[in-house]
Amino acid sequence: MAVMFAMDLSDGQHVETSGNGVIGRNPASHTPGTEFEDPAHIELVTVADEAKSVSRAHLAFGQYDGVFWVMDLGSANGTTITYPGEGTFACDPNTRHEVDPGSIVRFGNASFALSRRS
C-alpha cells in the first residue's frame, strides 16, 4: 500500500504524492527508464530556475514499501540530502537514496523538505 508523502519546495509549492515523479525545470523532457516500476504514471514537478542551476530533469522520486527515495538523474549540479541530526550527503547519480521524513533534499539552488502524511 502506498504511503502519502509531502514535499514542501523552496519556491512555495506543496506537492503531496503517493507515487513516482520527476522534478526539474522541464521534467517532461525526461524519458522514464528503469527507475520506475510503472513509467506510465509519473508526476511532473516543474521548478522555475532562471539561473539554470536545476537541470531540465534533475531528479526522480518515488517510494518502495513505504520508504521515500530520490535519484539524481545525472544533473550538472547534483543532489544532496540533509538528514536530521546526521549531516549532509551527496547523492550518487542514477542511484536510489532513501529519504527520511524531516530531511531536506537540495538540487541546484532549489530544495524540498519531506514529511509523511497520515
Side-chain angles (χ1 to χ4, degrees), residues 7-63:
M7 297 180 288
D8 287 302
L9 282 85
S10 54
D11 67 359
Q13 291 185 75
H14 176 81
V15 177
E16 293 194 0
T17 181
S18 60
N20 301 314
V22 176
I23 299 175
R25 286 191 343 266
N26 181 13
S29 66
H30 178 66
T31 303
T34 58
E35 66 269 18
F36 300 122
E37 282 93 35
D38 185 4
H41 295 91
I42 62 170
E43 299 176 51
L44 302 177
V45 180
T46 302
V47 176
D49 180 27
E50 292 181 19
K52 295 189 178 177
S53 67
V54 176
S55 295
R56 286 179 297 175
H58 199 105
L59 62 92
F61 65 87
Q63 61 173 292

Side-chain angles (χ1 to χ4, degrees), residues 85-108:
E86 295 182 34
T88 301
F89 300 88
C91 295
D92 295 324
N94 302 310
T95 303
R96 288 184 182 185
H97 295 272
E98 183 177 323
V99 182
D100 301 327
S103 298
I104 304 293
V105 176
R106 288 184 176 79
F107 49 102

